[in-house]
Amino acid sequence: LLRSGALDAVGGSIPAAWGDTAAAAVRPLVRPAREHLAGALLLACGLAALMSAFTLFDRLLPNLDPPTPRVERLSRRFSSPLAMFLLGSLITSLTMSVAISVTMLVPLTLKGVVRRHTVVPYVMGANITTFADTLFAATLVSAPRAVPVVLAEMLGVAAVSLVLLIAAYRPYNRLILGGAEAIVTRRRWLGAMLATMALVPLVLLKL
């Protein structure tokens, strides 16, 4: 995609100044906080706002014990891999954070809205639209190739995800869920995974 130049025209059609709109919307709230609060207190306020948002989200979810017929219908609708794929894409595109959209799976799963076997397509969709914030940052960079690079990444991840979703969903889903089950039930495997997550970035930095 990058060598063919097919995405160059798309990248050039996105004005870099469009990011000023988002900055102007949050500036009245962010600027006073940055000017009058110390760094540690500002961090604490951000964490409190984030936790408050998750608490509100959890309280807005209905109590599903026992589940109502409406919730059962909603749960059946979200049992489709394609529906969960689209839901993960939508929520991540709205929150612009895969961490937030995946964290939302916890209360949704505990409430019974989302089943465990449908988590994989949700994350697959989230992994595509999580590039939205990267695309936003790319428009602010003066390099003309920044936007095409991000678009190529999004299309590449989408192509691989759709192939797996359409052609090999069941074995892929079993592989991922089985691997996760094996890791979390064995302390050595869990420790090895956490150590790998910590060491690999350090090794790459050295290279």
Side-chain angles (χ1 to χ4, degrees):
L1 284 172
L2 293 176
R3 290 175 179 174
S4 67
L7 300 176
D8 292 347
V10 178
S13 64
I14 301 177
W18 76 289
D20 294 340
T21 304
V26 300
R27 190 176 293 118
L29 178 64
V30 174
R31 178 176 290 175
R34 291 182 60 184
E35 292 177 350
H36 298 94
L37 296 179
L41 185 58
L42 190 63
L43 175 62
C45 290
L47 292 175
L50 185 62
M51 297 305 298
S52 299
F54 283 128
T55 301
L56 179 62
F57 175 78
D58 186 56
R59 290 183 177 180
L60 289 175
L61 289 174
N63 186 2
L64 305 180
D65 189 20
T68 63
R70 181 180 179 183
V71 172
E72 288 288 354
R73 289 194 300 270
L74 184 65
S75 179
R76 287 195 297 269
R77 181 174 300 177
F78 285 148
S79 63
S80 167
L82 182 58
M84 288 299 294
F85 180 84
L86 295 175
L87 180 65
S89 302
L90 176 63
I91 293 179
T92 308
S93 64
L94 294 176
T95 61
M96 297 187 74
S97 171
V98 71
I100 294 177
S101 62
V102 171
T103 302
M104 289 180 178
L105 283 175
V106 177
L108 288 174
T109 303
L110 292 177
K111 297 290 185 178
V113 177
V114 175
R115 305 300 182 186
R116 182 173 179 269
H117 67 276
T118 61
V119 168
V120 173
Y122 179 98
V123 176
M124 292 170 70
N127 279 337
I128 299 173
T129 52
T130 189
F131 284 103
D133 55 346
T134 310
L135 181 62
F136 176 83
T139 62
L140 307 179
V141 177
S142 58
R145 299 285 286 175
V147 171
V149 167
V150 178
L151 289 176
E153 289 178 321
M154 294 180 70
L155 291 174
V157 174
V160 173
S161 300
L162 289 174
V163 168
L164 289 173
L165 193 66
I166 296 172
Y169 169 69
R170 292 186 182 277
Y172 180 75
N173 195 44
R174 288 195 297 267
L175 175 65
I176 296 298
L177 294 179
E181 183 71 20
I183 290 174
V184 298
T185 55
R186 294 172 174 83
R187 291 186 178 181
R188 291 183 178 179
W189 288 26
L190 181 60
M193 185 197 70
L194 294 176
T196 301
M197 293 173 61
L199 292 176
V200 167
L202 297 177
V203 173
L204 294 176
L205 285 174
K206 292 296 184 180
L207 297 178

